Amino acid sequence: MKVSVSWLKNLVEINNDINELAEKLSMTGFEVESLEDLSAQAKNVVIGFVDEITPHPNAEKLKVCTVDVGLAKKLSIVCGATNVKAGYHVLVAKVGAYLSSKSLKIKLSNLRGVESEGMICSLAELGIESSNEGIEILEDNETNIPPIGSNAIDYLGLNDTLIELAITANRPDGMSMVGIAREISTITNSKLTLPTLNYDEDFERFYPNIRDKETIGSECIYSLTYIDTIDNTGRINKSIYNKLSSLRQNCINPVVDITNYLMLEQGQPLHAFDADLLDNLVGRKVIPNDFGIRNGNEGESFVALDNKEYKLNENIKVITCNDFPIAIAGIIGGINSSVSSKTTRIWLEAAVFTPTSIRNSSREIGLRTDASSRYEKGISPYMTTAVSKRASQLISLELGGKIRSFHVNNEFKKRSINVDLRTEKINSVLGKLRCSDNNIFDKSSNIYRYLNKDEIEPLLKKLGCLLTSNSDGWNVEIPPYRSSDLTREIDLIEEIARLIGYDNFDSNMPDPLAPGVLTPPKLVERRLRNSFIHNGFQEIVTSSLVGPDNTDENAVLIKNPLLSETSRLRTNVWGEHLKILQRNVSFGSEGCWIFEIAKTYKKEEESFVETNLLAGALTGNKRFSKWGTASKQISLDYFEARGKLKQSLEVLGIEIIDKQITEIDLMHPGRTSELLVEGKSIGFFGQIHPSLSEKCDLIKETYLFNLDLDSLIKAATRKTNWTRIYKDYPTVPFMERDIALIHSKKYSSLEIINLIKKSGRPLLEKVELIDRYEGSSIPDDFVSQAFRIKYRDPKKTLVEEDINPIHEKIRRHLKEKIKADLRS
């Protein structure tokens, strides 16, 4: 929100330096983002008079102008504008002027053999929006021409400073010049001079065809004023023109300029419909009850004032006349009812729509306007009729219009807002003030006291509140312009604290609390993060909101998304992880290993399921040096990648078993394993499907893992795993035996290892696969594998007689249960 200091000075007495005022506004909640001196746009630009024009000797489209700028010598300026004429006043940028809007410094230059000593300017070249083509001719717009050679700043209305403010969602009154003026008056205790508004309820009730109750809620209003005999030719008066221009508002025609002026002044958007065009559209004379509000129809088109055609749907709210769409509610009007210089009769609309309906419509059509930004914050419906009356009076005064009728929808009921404010509650919430010996606020003092009634009442009156004292405090009547945000007792207390200054109150820290400690689940999570990072992974954080390209039928849809790209909650994380790998590889990274502790969401019947995941992806290799390494080795094989995940998970102290799985569509069917903890599946690890790696432009050796974090934490924090048990280090040696066998491929290595472990009790300590062979010397459905078995008795050194019976038992079970052919 930009505000003009010169306009503010018409509304409120400003005695502070602009920088000091900006600091005060920031400290009370209206953060100042920037200050802009508009006079810089026209520095060294003066009023000139064109004495004589001669053709350019070397260019047909150029003219050589002799211009008087109040100097002893007249300037010779080459100009290409078609509307330059002798005997008229113009704007001249002298040599040395800098046109900031064009980043152009005016220099003495030679144009096709003729020296040019400046530049005759258009308004656009000075950064002022204008519908006029060519240079600015002062006689076209002004009867009182400034003296020749005088600075053009005053003529252009640029003797001003713009303050850009960040308006928070809870202060819609700050979206107007009057609102900021009231704020300045409150914080500087200065005098206000505001336009008078008429709040009398002298209107007729009417019944617009409002089919969509979400757009006009119980706290909203829709009003129409019929005005005729308007002279909309010419230009709005200089005062309004300069105020609009200073805030970069394009002046279009007097009626539209007045509606924009009132929107900026009071914060209430207005829209004017050409009554003659509406009559032609409907085919008869329009009456108030012809107006209505409905949802757009699928496939319905609408041409707006920006000459763009918008496709409507049921999420877009439209204003209608006899069911013909004439505006998108609260956002933009239609070309079929637009006001022009030919307009003599109008229907002036003033309304308050629900913020949600405006946000939805704005998002659907991809357009946000000055009007919609105000509606989205939620403006007060109790100001609407008063602002509409002021606009009507200006149209009557400036353009000769006659106000024929004023209508308000029948459902609107004006009510006063009263809030009980207790002194005890104020002191309870805010605590004590720091003050000096003479009771003046002093944040460096060590003297404390509570606020008294004599200090509170002036603050509330500055806000425009009407107070009625009672035994507990006051009954406070809220002014219409603050009815949107001052609705509770705590809102008033916050205003009191804001105006006094939070730093003037004593700080009340809570009593010392017992120091916090991480719970076992949180400790496991921290250990996991650190372990992955130590093993070369990089932690990432991705958004839980995704777009419609996530076509999962169980996806949770957002009811009121800001963008279509964030319209639903994700059902997986691997999609975004692959995009991150692809981006890093495309930027030259040879390896990218990432992990994330994330949540996914899905809908199950009438409920929603949230899942905590430990997920990640790996592609390429990460080495500090390529010395001693084959130059073509740029990827990890399956076992190296699985080993990285294993190293990272070892910090949990739990056993994770791999089992081949082929049912996951996005994964390689022969290089994917299901991971089991305590006999239950917790997720998968594997290489992505070749078709997916090609689609994502990644190397084939790209791996994903997706693990249920809650299951991992539950297993890691189980008492038997969480409580560390220390054992004596074995002081006796172990004995090893190898078993080589040929067996059917239907038996996995895991099944064979489990069988060996079960048969080798109690002396078997460890068994591992050491060799695997498939080839022409072995039948197609068989495989040769070798296992190394380690035996140990913690109490004595083993001899052959101790392990032979157990070893033979293992061999016998392998023959009997999996029909293995033993080779050793």
Side-chain angles (χ1 to χ4, degrees), residues 744-772:
S744 172
K745 287 183 178 179
K746 70 178 183 180
Y747 299 109
S748 67
S749 300
L750 177 63
E751 291 175 300
I752 296 173
I753 288 173
N754 287 338
L755 177 59
I756 293 173
K757 284 181 178 179
K758 186 175 180 180
S759 304
R761 296 171 181 163
L763 298 182
L764 190 146
E765 185 178 82
K766 185 178 180 181
V767 57
E768 57 185 346
L769 177 68
I770 60 171
D771 185 53
R772 178 184 174 90

Side-chain angles (χ1 to χ4, degrees), residues 124-141:
E125 288 165 336
L126 295 172
I128 299 172
E129 293 188 17
S130 173
S131 57
N132 297 334
E133 296 183 1
I135 62 170
E136 174 76 350
I137 303 294
L138 273 61
E139 280 79 0
D140 292 346
N141 304 307

